[in-house]
Amino acid sequence: MSRSALINIDTQQSFFHREYWQEEDVPAFQQAILQLISGCQDLNIPVVDIFHVDDSGPFSLESGYVKPMPFLQHHADVTFQKHVHNAFTDTGLDLWLRTRDINHLIICGIRTEQCCETTTRVASDLGYRVSFVSEAMLTFPMSWKGVTLDTQTLRHRTETVLAGRFAEIQTVAECLESLS
């Protein structure tokens, strides 16, 4: 039998203070992540908040921004701080999950192609079944070598490289229906 946990990655106020922050995709993201959290809580699925912490800047504890974004009102079952892109390295998350016999992770949060994707890959390598709910994730355009990828392209690219290899790609509705 599958036992699930929702892993909410880096949905923290630190991002408001990054030069790339933009509001364009935020309303849809807020609606989706709130629906996913509420649905998981209704099903008694633990919600795990992960916060990224750096030594300085808006992701440092001293900044006061390493806390949930204001629209989040849930009470996490547990919170971990990470210092790298994935939520497992040196956090205690794996032990917490295994102690509770959790073998299925539902991933949501910020940034789709960075911390959410990296956590998904590590989780899969550790033997977890992963639901990647990119609808409940947020990212921002990225440029390299004169080419800018918009958020939809980044999302599609991330889903493409994860699907069938590291995770099942699901919408919020599909994920919640599969848990019922």
Side-chain angles (χ1 to χ4, degrees):
M1 181 172 151
S2 182
R3 187 143 152 69
S4 305
L6 176 62
I7 311 298
N8 175 27
I9 301 172
D10 298 347
T11 309
Q12 63 193 73
Q13 293 182 27
S14 307
F15 280 103
F16 297 150
H17 305 278
R18 287 292 200 208
E19 67 282 352
Y20 51 76
W21 175 260
Q22 61 181 15
E23 295 284 331
E24 183 178 330
D25 296 329
V26 173
F29 164 68
Q30 285 182 356
Q31 180 180 356
I33 197 169
L34 289 172
Q35 182 183 1
L36 183 61
I37 290 170
S38 176
C40 285
Q41 288 181 320
D42 289 347
L43 294 167
N44 294 314
I45 292 171
V47 177
V48 179
D49 280 349
I50 308 290
F51 294 114
H52 188 89
V53 176
D54 285 336
D55 291 334
S56 61
F59 286 82
S60 70
L61 294 175
E62 292 77 26
S63 73
Y65 302 133
V66 180
K67 57 187 175 186
M69 290 187 168
F71 70 89
L72 292 175
Q73 299 298 312
H74 70 280
H75 294 283
D77 291 83
V78 66
T79 299
F80 293 99
Q81 295 177 352
K82 66 181 184 62
H83 302 278
V84 295
H85 291 99
N86 80 81
F88 288 96
T89 302
D90 299 326
T91 63
L93 175 61
D94 188 46
L95 177 62
W96 188 88
L97 295 167
R98 293 191 191 281
T99 300
R100 285 151 186 80
D101 198 30
I102 292 171
N103 58 9
H104 172 232
L105 305 184
I106 303 155
I107 306 292
C108 67
I110 303 176
R111 293 185 65 172
T112 308
E113 77 295 342
Q114 291 183 38
C115 297
C116 295
E117 178 181 346
T118 305
T119 296
T120 296
R121 289 173 179 268
V122 172
S124 176
D125 285 351
L126 290 172
Y128 293 96
R129 185 170 67 89
V130 182
S131 294
F132 192 82
V133 187
S134 57
E135 181 181 27
M137 293 179 195
L138 184 67
T139 197
F140 311 96
M142 294 179 73
S143 298
W144 190 61
K145 290 190 174 185
V147 176
T148 299
L149 301 181
D150 62 30
T151 59
Q152 293 307 315
T153 303
L154 284 168
R155 177 183 290 183
H156 179 75
R157 174 245 164 240
T158 303
E159 291 174 346
T160 300
V161 298
L162 293 178
R165 296 169 196 82
F166 298 96
E168 181 177 355
I169 310 304
Q170 295 180 315
T171 65
V172 171
E174 291 167 342
C175 181
L176 294 176
E177 183 177 323
S178 74
L179 296 168
S180 299

